[in-house]
Amino acid sequence: EVQLVESGGGLVQAGGSLRLSCAASGFTFDDYAIGWFRQAPGKEREGVSCISSGVVSTYYADSVKGRFTISSDNAKNTVYLQMNRLKPEDTAVYYCAAPEYGSSCSPLGMDFWGKGTLVTVSS
């Protein structure tokens, strides 16, 4: 059974950093994709970043390019999202997600989701 558990959220001041973790179980890292999404109060869910083993590719939303970095530790079955120079606009619940099969980063293809971790950035 696939399970995804996010951790690392919290309260930080603008300009600070956080590192989110997505721990996966019942899941092989030989052929995979893990996406990070976020939902801010009053807004719809948006894609933030994704890492795919298909040609080992990474993707970022324009709003976070240059500030966020996604990486994986396959031995630990964990994907990280390093968030630097955080802004109040980054405040949201952050979720990680994965497709049941393959390594596609398509948002519509995500079948399994974690429960989320809250990131709050104060002014």
Side-chain angles (χ1 to χ4, degrees), residues 76-104:
K76 295 182 178 180
N77 282 5
T78 301
V79 170
Y80 304 97
L81 185 67
Q82 178 68 44
M83 306 185 296
N84 297 326
R85 293 182 284 128
L86 283 161
K87 305 175 181 179
E89 308 93 272
D90 296 318
T91 295
V93 177
Y94 284 71
Y95 302 89
C96 62
E100 182 174 6
Y101 302 107
S103 57
S104 173

Side-chain angles (χ1 to χ4, degrees), residues 10 18 32 91 114:
L18 283 175
Y32 75 94
T91 295

Side-chain angles (χ1 to χ4, degrees), residues 10-16 18 86-91 119-123:
L11 174 64
V12 298
Q13 293 183 339
L18 283 175
L86 283 161
K87 305 175 181 179
E89 308 93 272
D90 296 318
T91 295
V119 172
T120 303
V121 184
S122 63
S123 300

Side-chain angles (χ1 to χ4, degrees), residues 5-107:
V5 180
E6 305 94 336
S7 62
L11 174 64
V12 298
Q13 293 183 339
S17 298
L18 283 175
R19 191 183 198 186
L20 305 184
S21 298
C22 176
S25 62
F27 189 89
T28 178
F29 270 49
D30 294 333
D31 183 21
Y32 75 94
I34 297 287
W36 284 99
F37 300 80
R38 66 186 182 186
Q39 187 166 22
K43 294 186 176 182
E44 295 184 353
R45 184 192 68 193
E46 64 173 336
V48 176
S49 185
C50 187
I51 186 167
S52 172
S53 66
V55 201
V56 191
S57 300
T58 58
Y59 308 90
Y60 299 94
D62 288 342
S63 59
V64 306
K65 284 183 178 177
R67 298 190 297 120
F68 291 10
T69 303
I70 191 169
S71 62
S72 65
D73 185 336
N74 290 4
K76 295 182 178 180
N77 282 5
T78 301
V79 170
Y80 304 97
L81 185 67
Q82 178 68 44
M83 306 185 296
N84 297 326
R85 293 182 284 128
L86 283 161
K87 305 175 181 179
E89 308 93 272
D90 296 318
T91 295
V93 177
Y94 284 71
Y95 302 89
C96 62
E100 182 174 6
Y101 302 107
S103 57
S104 173
C105 276
S106 173

